[in-house]
Amino acid sequence: MILGIDPGLHGALAWMEDDGRVVDVQDIPILNEGPRRKTIDASALARLLVSRPVRAAIIEAVHARPTDSKPSAFTFGRHLGALEALIMAQDLPLRRVAPQTWRKSAGLPAGAGKEASIAAALRLCPTARPFLDAKAHDRAEAVLIAAFGVQHAQTA
């Protein structure tokens, strides 16, 4: 089974069998630490990571954008680091994939919006339907990242 991860505070995790069947999709668990202050719930995330036997985790290789504020970029980096550390602590092989790479594999044109990610996930992975709704673009992207991982593992 492959775990696809759309990182970030509002990201998601998608578990996919080698045959392309989506087993589960979960939002990244978060903790409220006060007004306008949220962080990844590392304990809940660790429990999710061991909830299913996974042979590899594929995470989107993202970076802070030049237009991000310094506090925003720092916070994003903390969240990404927490995700990667928890994955590595489980001794899971971790592969980073550039957004352009998995998006191209999913047939998404450059600049395609959030709705396009949902449509692509439903088209390529019909078993993801119960986990997606019109606002689930983070979940859809996790599914597409997992699909890239499954496809890459079978062609390597």
Side-chain angles (χ1 to χ4, degrees):
M1 186 173 319
I2 297 290
L3 174 62
I5 305 166
D6 178 38
L9 194 56
H10 301 288
L13 310 162
W15 289 263
M16 183 177 284
E17 293 286 359
D18 289 341
D19 64 3
R21 183 176 56 89
V22 176
V23 174
D24 195 10
V25 181
Q26 296 282 327
D27 296 326
I28 290 178
I30 58 171
L31 285 173
N32 288 319
E33 294 185 323
R36 300 182 312 163
R37 186 166 159 85
K38 297 179 181 181
T39 190
I40 289 176
D41 184 339
S43 180
L45 180 58
R47 285 189 302 274
L48 279 175
L49 290 174
V50 298
S51 67
R52 291 176 174 76
V54 174
R55 64 183 170 88
I58 313 297
I59 192 167
E60 184 178 45
V62 290
H63 309 283
R65 296 178 299 261
T67 56
D68 290 345
S69 69
K70 289 179 184 177
S72 174
F74 182 80
T75 300
F76 183 75
R78 280 185 55 226
H79 295 147
L80 180 61
L83 278 166
E84 291 182 345
L86 284 166
I87 292 163
M88 289 185 256
Q90 302 301 323
D91 285 329
L92 290 175
L94 176 64
R95 175 160 186 233
R96 294 166 187 89
V97 60
Q100 307 88 312
T101 304
W102 70 258
R103 291 175 69 80
K104 181 179 178 182
S105 176
L108 290 170
K114 296 173 183 181
E115 299 80 19
S117 293
I118 296 169
L122 291 171
R123 183 182 76 251
L124 296 172
C125 309
T127 58
R129 185 169 298 281
F131 306 106
L132 304 179
D133 61 29
K135 297 179 183 177
H137 74 277
D138 295 314
R139 287 176 164 222
E141 291 188 356
V143 167
L144 293 172
I145 293 165
F148 173 85
V150 167
Q151 180 184 27
H152 179 77
Q154 291 176 346
T155 58

